[in-house]
Amino acid sequence: MKKPLLDVIFASDKRNSALLLLQDGPKEMEFILGALNTTRQSLLPQIRILEEHQLVSKIDDSYMLTKIGELIVEKMVPLSNTIEVFDSDIDYWGSRKLDFIPSYLLQQIKELGKCDTVNPPFGEIHYLLTRFQEASTRSKSLFGVTTFFHPNFQILFSELIQNKVSIYTIITPELHDKLVTQHHEEFKGLLENYLFHAYEYPGQLEFLSFAFNDNYLLLSLLNKEGDFDNKHHICSSKSALDWGKELFEYYLKDSTPITELQQYSSQENIFNYKDTCKRKTILNQIKKKG
């Protein structure tokens, strides 16, 4: 009796890997053995199962996907990539709030690829920020959405500005009010610089922050209890940076530019023509950057 196709595909790592390897065309057995780091004796029984279930066919000593195999592998790839993201640290992802990610981007979370979960010890709590900051000083621009600013935000942003880094940051109404009332002069100085662009997002943000520069995407997410446990997720692939840009655009489209230090109600949703044009300009800059 033949196995169910789901078992054929997913119950064996060797069969799964062989199918994915054949996606871009026929491969000789020696190539497959080298790519999968296995022996002919170990692999042949798994290849025969794929042949018996009409997923691969053999020509001389080469193997290729059948039409059925091509259809199935085409659907396998996105699922395998998504599993790879979560499999890198399933406990981290399973304990995070993810509702802040719009559904169309959650479907594309495979674009993050393999990322690292970093949990700096108490004595090195600012290490990750320093690592990300140093990479930002070498970047052309820095984009971020945050519910907080580091206590030394003015120094950190000033260093970026000195290096001619364009900064685009989206903040909450609560953080906006705090900056106006408690850090008036520092925030005013940043707003007066042409490289610094700030926006207020009117809704709730169910995460601590996320940011990306030319090299890294940094996610600082809340756990399901709504707390931050000092765990960060950092990704460096181009597809992860592109995913981060789309997430930034999602929040930017509903945000209001902060051009001067005066409090206003974000509930009014008053966006004049100039502000709308400015948001469109920033969106275009992000797309060109990609």
Side-chain angles (χ1 to χ4, degrees):
M1 180 182 293
K2 292 185 182 295
K3 299 175 182 287
L5 279 179
L6 282 176
D7 288 347
V8 172
I9 296 165
F10 293 109
S12 164
D13 288 340
K14 283 188 172 65
R15 292 197 296 266
N16 187 288
S17 297
L19 287 170
L20 293 173
L21 187 64
L22 295 175
Q23 184 188 22
D24 57 354
K27 300 287 186 298
E28 292 185 354
M29 175 57 85
E30 287 304 316
F31 180 90
I32 298 173
L33 294 175
L36 300 186
N37 191 27
T38 189
T39 64
R40 186 181 289 262
Q41 183 179 7
S42 176
L43 184 62
L44 269 179
Q46 308 307 326
I47 292 291
R48 289 197 184 100
I49 291 174
L50 295 177
E51 288 183 282
E52 290 169 3
H53 288 79
Q54 311 300 323
L55 297 178
V56 302
S57 58
K58 181 181 179 184
I59 302 177
D60 297 327
D61 199 36
S62 296
Y63 291 87
M64 61 185 293
L65 294 175
T66 64
K67 285 298 180 182
I68 294 174
E70 289 176 359
L71 288 171
I72 288 176
V73 171
E74 183 181 357
K75 301 299 182 182
M76 279 175 57
V77 173
L79 176 60
S80 297
N81 292 342
T82 300
I83 289 172
E84 182 180 30
V85 170
F86 294 133
D87 207 28
S88 64
D89 194 340
I90 189 61
D91 290 333
Y92 171 83
W93 286 109
S95 61
R96 300 302 108 175
K97 281 190 171 186
L98 300 178
D99 291 344
F100 73 92
I101 304 174
S103 59
Y104 69 93
L105 282 178
L106 197 57
Q107 293 293 323
Q108 296 298 317
I109 203 165
K110 65 182 184 294
E111 301 300 334
L112 295 183
K114 264 198 167 180
C115 303
D116 296 323
T117 303
V118 184
N119 186 11
F122 182 77
E124 301 175 16
I125 198 166
H126 296 308
Y127 167 74
L128 183 64
L129 177 62
T130 301
R131 173 182 168 191
F132 187 77
Q133 177 74 8
E134 289 174 350
S136 296
T137 60
R138 300 189 297 270
S139 299
K140 292 181 180 179
S141 53
L142 171 68
F143 297 85
V145 184
T146 185
T147 62
F148 87 107
F149 272 160
H150 188 277
N152 296 327
F153 76 90
Q154 198 271 339
I155 296 174
L156 297 173
F157 282 141
S158 294
E159 181 183 8
L160 295 174
I161 288 171
Q162 287 174 6
N163 283 275
K164 305 299 182 187
V165 179
S166 296
I167 303 164
Y168 303 91
T169 183
I170 299 172
I171 63 177
T172 61
E174 293 79 11
L175 179 55
H176 185 189
D177 289 342
K178 181 177 180 179
L179 291 171
V180 169
T181 57
Q182 299 181 26
H183 303 278
H184 186 93
E185 292 304 317
E186 298 98 317
F187 193 46
K188 180 174 181 289
L190 288 171
L191 287 176
E192 289 174 347
N193 192 288
Y194 74 98
L195 289 171
F196 185 81
H197 313 272
Y199 305 84
E200 181 184 306
Y201 180 75
Q204 292 293 317
L205 297 179
E206 295 295 322
F207 55 88
L208 189 72
S209 66
F210 75 84
F212 63 92
N213 51 37
D214 290 358
N215 299 293
Y216 295 112
L217 168 66
L218 179 63
L219 300 167
S220 301
L221 309 184
L222 301 177
N223 60 30
K224 288 183 177 178
E225 289 71 42
D227 301 319
F228 180 62
D229 53 10
N230 199 38
K231 288 184 180 179
H232 308 264
H233 213 59
I234 189 164
C235 316
S236 57
S237 67
K238 183 182 181 303
S239 61
L241 296 178
D242 290 340
W243 187 90
K245 292 171 193 174
E246 288 197 58
L247 186 58
F248 184 87
E249 291 174 9
Y250 172 80
Y251 284 100
L252 180 64
K253 65 182 174 57
D254 293 324
S255 299
T256 307
I258 303 171
T259 55
E260 56 185 354
L261 284 188
Q262 62 179 29
Q263 291 177 297
Y264 57 89
S265 171
S266 59
Q267 302 302 321
E268 294 175 359
N269 289 321
I270 300 174
F271 304 116
N272 61 35
Y273 179 75
K274 180 178 179 181
D275 287 345
T276 302
C277 289
K278 188 171 183 179
R279 278 196 302 280
K280 288 181 178 178
T281 299
I282 300 303
L283 286 169
N284 288 334
Q285 289 174 347
I286 298 172
K287 289 173 181 175
K288 287 180 181 178
K289 178 178 166 59

